[in-house]
């Protein structure tokens, strides 16, 4: 699938003199915060719209992904404005990725707006919409504590959010915790989400569904190995405890053991993929495919559940 609009963006950006009228910048509105409903991670509203509509770091305008996942986007058109970290660690590659992406957004802001106004981005084809639907979803948090979905780019309100954010040069949230080295950065604390406890219900609902079940990953992509069925916990459990078969048919994970190994929990491929910090540590790539790694307490509870025999219920006292 080659999306025609991406080529138009490339042509527009090539002419640095070409610009659309982005209008006046409202800096207060440009820094309104929303939260990813699956991870609790913050973003400014325009930043979130770009992530939700342009790939969320996993496809289309993403960085470091397979060419097939770009769906026709020209190489180098990375609008991957995900946070650089959700803890105090400074990962230079992630900081560089975010800063480069913001630079590309600022460089292409007039062209991005022209594409949205013209209706060519995001693409309107059913397949394109399926891909976009696999991106992250964000919500506004009201003073009452209730949340409401962030309007999408198909709405006039959503387009105004994006226009203003672009007019303000695309400010981004960098992280949720102050950098360990003390270097100033844009910090917005995340929102708490349901913890992953040592039980199947929690592993399924708080880990597998929000982290793994996008349509381009383990929630509908046959090439991704085991599947997570968001409406069927039993079928998902059967997938997870199936005999070893690797994560993708084309990689070298087939000899890497079962996703769950109750006799030797630390050998479980699922646990090792979640705990890995670089490609050399495990076959394929660490999971999930973004910088927001699962925390140590999640790994500890997942290991405890596996060690208890991966029961359908909770682990006993």
């Amino acid at each position: 699938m080659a999306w025609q609009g991406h080529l138009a963006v490339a042509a527009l950006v090539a002419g640095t003199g070409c610009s659309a009228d982005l209008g006046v910048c409202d800096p207060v509105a440009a820094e309104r915060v929303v939260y990813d409903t699956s991870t609790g991670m913050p973003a400014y509203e325009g930043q979130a719209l770009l992530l939700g509509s342009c790939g969320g770091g996993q496809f289309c305008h993403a960085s470091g992904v397979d060419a097939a996942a770009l769906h026709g986007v020209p190489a180098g058109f990375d609008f991957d404005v995900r946070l650089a970290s959700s803890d105090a660690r400074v990962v230079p590659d992630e900081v560089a990725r975010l800063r480069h992406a913001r630079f590309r957004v600022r460089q292409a802001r007039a062209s991005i707006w022209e594409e949205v106004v013209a209706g060519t981005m995001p693409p309107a084809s059913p397949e394109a919409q399926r891909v976009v639907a696999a991106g992250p979803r964000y919500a506004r948090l009201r003073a009452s504590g209730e949340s409401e979905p962030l309007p999408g780019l198909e709405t006039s309100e959503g387009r105004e959010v994006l226009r203003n954010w672009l007019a303000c040069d695309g400010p981004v949230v960098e992280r949720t915790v102050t950098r360990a080295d003390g270097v100033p950065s844009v910090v917005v604390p995340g929102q708490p989400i349901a913890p992953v406890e040592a039980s199947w219900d929690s592993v399924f609902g708080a880990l597998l569904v929000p982290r793994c079940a996008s349509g381009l990953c383990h929630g509908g992509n046959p090439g991704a190995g085991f599947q997570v069925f968001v409406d069927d916990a039993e079928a998902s459990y059967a997938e997870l405890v199936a005999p070893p078969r690797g994560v993708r048919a084309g990689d070298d994970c087939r000899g890497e053991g079962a996703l769950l190994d109750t006799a030797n929990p630390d050998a479980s491929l699922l646990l090792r993929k979640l705990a890995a910090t670089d490609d050399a540590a495990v076959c394929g790539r660490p999971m999930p495919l973004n910088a927001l790694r699962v925390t140590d307490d999640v790994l500890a509870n997942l290991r405890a559940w596996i060690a208890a025999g991966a029961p359908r219920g909770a682990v006993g006292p």
Side-chain angles (χ1 to χ4, degrees):
M1 171 175 61
W3 294 347
Q4 301 280 333
H6 293 303
L7 300 181
V9 171
L12 286 166
V13 175
T16 55
C18 179
S19 64
D21 182 11
L22 288 169
V24 177
C25 160
D26 178 345
V28 174
E31 294 186 0
R32 289 176 182 152
V33 176
V34 288
Y35 295 90
D36 185 322
T37 57
S38 294
T39 65
M41 292 296 102
Y44 292 137
E45 289 187 342
Q47 179 184 6
L49 277 174
L50 202 69
L51 287 169
S53 302
C54 301
Q58 297 188 32
F59 48 85
C60 297
H61 293 278
S63 57
V65 299
D66 296 335
L70 296 177
H71 298 287
V73 175
F77 265 76
D78 302 337
F79 300 155
D80 189 358
V81 290
R82 290 171 296 130
L83 274 64
S85 181
S86 58
D87 56 33
R89 291 175 298 170
V90 179
V91 183
D93 287 349
E94 291 299 324
V95 173
R97 183 263 306 157
L98 176 59
R99 292 181 178 175
H100 172 74
R102 190 191 176 199
F103 170 78
R104 294 296 281 157
V105 169
R106 293 172 68 185
Q107 183 182 49
R109 60 190 181 275
S111 301
I112 292 170
W113 181 236
E114 287 184 6
E115 292 285 327
V116 172
V117 170
T120 50
M121 286 288 115
S125 71
E127 186 175 2
Q129 289 300 308
R130 180 186 68 82
V131 172
V132 171
R137 290 290 167 263
Y138 290 86
R140 293 164 167 164
L141 187 64
R142 294 304 188 188
S144 63
E146 298 180 346
S147 63
E148 64 177 19
L150 175 66
L153 290 179
E154 73 281 2
T155 69
S156 58
E157 184 180 358
R159 289 192 293 274
E160 171 56 21
V161 167
L162 181 67
R163 181 211 63 77
N164 183 68
W165 181 74
L166 292 170
C168 293
D169 283 343
V172 296
V173 177
E174 179 178 314
R175 56 187 60 239
T176 59
V177 177
T178 304
R179 288 174 55 138
D181 59 7
V183 173
S185 57
V186 178
V187 177
V188 174
Q191 283 291 308
I193 58 174
V196 177
E197 305 292 353
S199 73
W200 166 241
D201 285 347
S202 182
V203 168
F204 174 69
L207 175 62
L208 298 182
V209 169
R211 297 277 187 163
C212 311
S214 79
L216 294 182
C217 297
H218 296 281
N221 176 11
F226 92 97
Q227 295 294 299
V228 178
F229 305 101
V230 295
D231 297 320
D232 195 334
E234 290 303 306
S236 300
Y237 183 87
E239 287 276 309
L240 197 60
V241 298
R245 56 183 170 178
V247 176
R248 292 181 185 271
D251 69 19
D252 58 356
C253 294
R254 289 183 178 273
E256 291 293 317
L259 285 166
L260 300 185
D261 186 338
T262 56
N264 183 8
D266 292 324
S268 299
L269 184 57
L270 175 64
L271 190 61
R272 291 191 292 118
K273 295 280 276 188
L274 292 172
T277 56
D278 59 69
D279 291 0
V282 68
C283 64
R285 287 183 286 179
M287 293 290 159
L289 293 176
N290 57 47
L292 304 177
R293 310 299 301 160
V294 298
T295 56
D296 289 343
D297 60 324
V298 170
L299 294 173
N301 285 333
L302 177 61
R303 187 190 184 285
W305 176 69
I306 297 171
R312 300 293 182 94
V315 174

